[in-house]
Amino acid sequence: MSAKDVIVLNSHGVGQYAYCDRMPRWGETLSVRKWHIAEDGGKGSNVTVALGRLGLNVAYVGKVGNDAWGDLGDRWMREAGADTTYLYRDPGVSTGTGLVLIAPDGRNSIIDGDSSGAALTIEEVYAAIDAMAGSKYFVTGFEIPEEVALAGARHACELGMKTVLNPSPLPEGGLSPIGYIDYLFVNEVESEHIAGVSANDPRELAAAVLRVTGAKNVVVTLGSEGSCALTEEGDFIEVDPVHVDNVANTAGAGDGFMAATVAGLVREKPLREAMEWASHYAALVVTIDGTIPAYRPLDEVEAFIEREDVLS
């Protein structure tokens, strides 16, 4: 097995979508519209597909069942150019699914079901990482058990890889020190939860996250306000949002932004430049329904950015 640009360790699942005017209250039956199974993966398969379509040499590590949902994820990732050698198949589990509720303005809430990634073992993760020693970046998150994700990141760090963590969904007990994480990607709500404070100043919020976690760099997505980052050198980066009028679905924007930023870092762009490009990428993503269709090939992304620059 050869070294990769990026190894992705996280879950695969298949999303179901429904449109609603508001969230239900406990005990209420709420009618929704257009409930359908979409081309929507878990965070692991999402990031893997995005990176593959952006032209990176990427491999996926995870576990699914011997079922149609697992077959679908394998196909999505392979068609994007990803290596799925370490997509472990287990007849004793069912591939996970989730429900995405979409508001009229495109905002979403996600209800995650059980993840087949919960059956993934640390030994299986180590075997996959060792087989791809010499890879550049390792990306993981908490749609698989936290201890498995962090063990993988620690092992990848020991082998000289740059490590990236999106700790979503956040563990109830908070994050333990993660000094072996090079880039921590969190949204504003997650940042406030980790830091234990509500902060109006993005720089203060990012600094608090770094103090609590010990990560080297933190990237915070701020929704319609753009994004920011605080580096291990103490440099604070602010990136303006890229606004589009035709928002269809925001469900894949966060995963897409992280994948696009990592793609820039792999190509040795400075963090600010990588984040600026990723902001344009995420703007394109939200104009397309479903996460897997929204992660477009590099030439289409570049054409979109060129059009946006002309219009602006």
Side-chain angles (χ1 to χ4, degrees), residues 3-268:
K4 307 295 181 183
D5 291 328
V6 186
I7 300 171
V8 178
L9 168 68
N10 210 338
S11 76
H12 164 67
V14 175
Q16 302 181 56
Y17 282 74
Y19 291 79
C20 58
D21 295 325
R22 58 178 176 81
M23 296 299 291
R25 297 188 299 270
W26 288 113
E28 177 186 13
T29 300
L30 181 71
S31 294
V32 298
R33 303 178 303 280
K34 299 180 182 177
W35 190 315
H36 63 283
I37 295 168
E39 291 186 76
D40 178 37
K43 285 185 174 292
S45 46
N46 280 349
V47 171
T48 300
V49 167
L51 289 168
R53 289 180 180 164
L54 289 175
L56 274 73
N57 182 5
V58 58
Y60 174 77
V61 181
K63 180 169 284 188
V64 296
N66 283 335
D67 51 34
W69 303 136
D71 294 343
L72 194 57
D74 190 19
R75 178 169 65 82
W76 285 341
M77 290 186 280
R78 285 189 292 103
E79 287 179 350
D83 186 335
T84 61
T85 299
Y86 290 96
L87 172 59
Y88 295 99
R89 307 298 291 258
D90 185 341
V93 300
S94 298
T95 305
T97 187
L99 174 62
V100 182
L101 293 173
I102 304 171
D105 62 0
R107 291 179 301 163
N108 70 85
S109 292
I110 302 173
I111 302 169
D112 263 337
D114 293 337
S115 170
S116 51
L120 191 64
T121 69
I122 291 175
E123 291 73 24
E124 289 169 329
V125 171
Y126 283 176
I129 295 171
D130 288 343
M132 294 179 280
S135 296
K136 297 176 182 177
Y137 276 75
F138 178 88
V139 179
T140 191
F142 290 166
E143 283 191 347
I144 60 173
E146 174 190 354
E147 64 273 15
V148 175
L150 293 181
R154 191 180 299 111
H155 192 58
C157 177
E158 291 167 353
L159 294 180
M161 301 177 202
K162 292 288 187 182
T163 55
V164 178
L165 173 65
N166 172 219
S168 179
L170 282 175
E172 291 185 6
L175 279 177
S176 56
I178 47 173
Y180 48 89
I181 296 298
D182 290 287
Y183 296 93
L184 180 66
F185 280 77
V186 286
N187 63 31
E188 189 173 16
V189 174
E190 292 163 343
S191 298
E192 291 181 349
H193 183 82
I194 292 168
V197 297
S198 295
N200 294 323
D201 184 337
R203 181 169 189 152
E204 290 182 4
L205 185 60
V209 170
L210 287 188
R211 283 195 301 271
V212 169
T213 64
K216 295 182 177 67
N217 307 274
V218 62
V219 178
V220 183
T221 55
L222 302 169
S224 62
E225 300 301 313
S227 60
C228 68
L230 188 61
T231 72
E232 57 187 321
E233 295 83 14
D235 297 328
F236 182 64
I237 298 168
E238 289 184 289
V239 174
D240 291 333
V242 176
H243 295 293
V244 290
D245 295 327
N246 52 331
V247 175
N249 187 346
T250 63
D255 293 341
F257 177 84
M258 181 174 70
T261 303
V262 170
L265 294 173
V266 169
R267 291 174 171 136
E268 301 184 349

